[in-house]
Amino acid sequence: MTAISASAVPAAASSDPDGAALHRPVIDWFDAHARDLPWRRPEAGAWGVMVSEFMLQQTPVNRVLPVYEQWLARWPRPADLAAEPPGEAVRAWGRLGYPRRALRLHGAAAAIRERHGGDVPRDHAQLLALPGVGEYTAAAVASFAYGQRHPVLDTNVRRVFARAVSGAQYPPNATTAAERKLARLLLPEEEPTAARWAAATMELGALICTARTPDCARCPIAALCAWRQAGSPEHDGPPRRGQTYAGTDRQVRGKLLAVLREAVTPVPQTTLDQVWDEPVQRARALDGLVSDGLVEPLSGGLYRLPLT
């Protein structure tokens, strides 16, 4: 097999890349070095995989692990979660961040109970039709839970493909049609191998081909990497988006939700006013939480996590 060169997938690719040279070394590396994570164990089932995929979006594994374990202990099946108010999902979400994911997961659980008898569907189209489930999550659940053949494109996988095949240090800020086409072309033909490849490339991006300090000396495909063959050129595209938190509306929203999560009764406005000094930003953050369905306003200036 020949190595995939930096010119194999130029900006306007005219030929299809051959991923066969990459499959075996990446999967062999994964078999030897994959982390033992609870959602990868057979007992996790499709629901455990789905919960992990919601939680892991924009949140590192070490923060997800304790919340994931508590969540599955409390709600081992979708119907268990659907039976409780959505505010309980927000409460249990804790400090994972981006708490709208908790509401979306609750909505997906309710739909699974109503449409699929409480079992996470196997069919990709049915997964995609669930509320809160997008292109990535549907593919991930179908692949990781059911061993199906789907391109699974998270940030880690996109970075591996950008470097190994396209010769770029980083992928575009948003997933492109060209990336989706490349991911499909690189998929192994057999379903079990394709599912293993999806998990392996994700783990490679998380542990070895990291954003800031790729460990090329330990990479199983370093000799085939188009980016290294090109001399590891610096990123020359649009500036990469950074994530700020301190002083943002996100921080204020988090502080407001923290008070409501700890409360067993509705919280008065005066209590919420104490979490942030700047009144305009505080009011904007609270209005946003109400608009997003994360907080329910009551008469008399009281607020609580949503019951419906």
Side-chain angles (χ1 to χ4, degrees):
M1 298 178 181
T2 58
I4 299 175
S5 69
S7 60
V9 189
S14 59
S15 61
D16 294 342
D18 176 15
L22 303 175
H23 295 157
R24 183 45 51 198
V26 171
I27 292 173
D28 284 349
W29 171 86
F30 182 68
D31 290 343
H33 299 286
R35 292 169 291 181
D36 178 21
L37 300 174
W39 46 85
R40 289 179 176 162
R41 300 169 191 161
E43 60 268 26
W47 174 237
V49 171
M50 176 173 280
V51 170
S52 76
E53 290 301 334
F54 272 81
M55 290 185 173
L56 287 165
Q57 294 168 24
Q58 299 176 293
T59 306
V61 165
N62 63 330
R63 288 181 56 198
V64 166
L65 280 170
V67 181
Y68 172 88
E69 291 171 352
Q70 293 164 12
W71 191 284
L72 267 296
R74 180 174 178 179
W75 298 307
R77 289 182 53 81
D80 300 320
L81 174 59
E84 295 215 37
E88 287 305 301
V90 176
R91 193 187 311 277
W93 199 255
R95 297 185 177 276
L96 285 183
Y98 302 98
R100 277 178 289 183
R101 292 179 293 169
L103 289 183
R104 291 169 183 157
L105 184 50
H106 185 276
I112 290 168
R113 180 182 63 177
E114 294 164 7
R115 303 175 194 173
H116 305 288
D119 294 322
V120 177
R122 298 178 62 94
D123 182 75
H124 180 266
Q126 291 179 336
L127 286 166
L128 198 55
L130 294 173
V133 173
E135 173 188 359
Y136 165 78
T137 303
V141 173
S143 178
F144 302 149
Y146 295 122
Q148 297 175 14
R149 183 179 184 271
H150 296 282
V152 182
L153 274 175
D154 80 337
T155 300
N156 289 316
V157 177
R158 294 175 61 225
R159 186 170 57 251
V160 169
F161 290 172
R163 290 174 179 168
V165 181
S166 302
Q169 185 180 18
Y170 300 117
N173 282 334
T175 306
T176 65
E179 287 181 284
R180 294 186 180 95
K181 177 182 178 182
L182 174 60
R184 290 193 299 270
L185 292 170
L186 290 173
L187 268 180
E189 287 298 325
E190 297 200 0
E191 280 202 335
T193 307
R196 200 70 176 162
W197 163 255
T201 50
M202 189 175 295
E203 190 79 334
L204 186 66
L207 299 184
I208 301 294
C209 195
T210 58
R212 294 184 180 178
T213 55
D215 190 353
C216 299
R218 295 175 54 220
C219 179
I221 53 172
L224 308 178
C225 178
W227 182 55
R228 279 175 56 85
Q229 290 177 357
S232 304
E234 292 289 328
H235 176 69
D236 63 356
R240 300 179 66 230
R241 292 192 297 256
Q243 291 189 345
T244 58
Y245 185 72
T248 65
D249 285 5
R250 275 188 59 217
Q251 183 182 24
V252 185
R253 286 163 60 103
K255 287 181 174 291
L256 292 168
L257 274 181
V259 173
L260 291 161
R261 281 198 307 270
E262 295 297 323
V264 295
T265 58
V267 176
Q269 176 79 58
T270 52
T271 299
L272 296 177
D273 287 346
Q274 297 174 27
V275 308
W276 197 256
D277 291 336
E278 210 290 301
V280 174
Q281 188 178 26
R282 186 180 64 236
R284 182 171 66 242
L286 182 57
D287 287 346
L289 290 170
V290 171
S291 178
D292 290 341
L294 290 162
V295 171
E296 184 178 342
L298 304 174
S299 60
L302 298 174
Y303 296 86
R304 69 183 178 192
L305 296 178
L307 293 182
T308 57

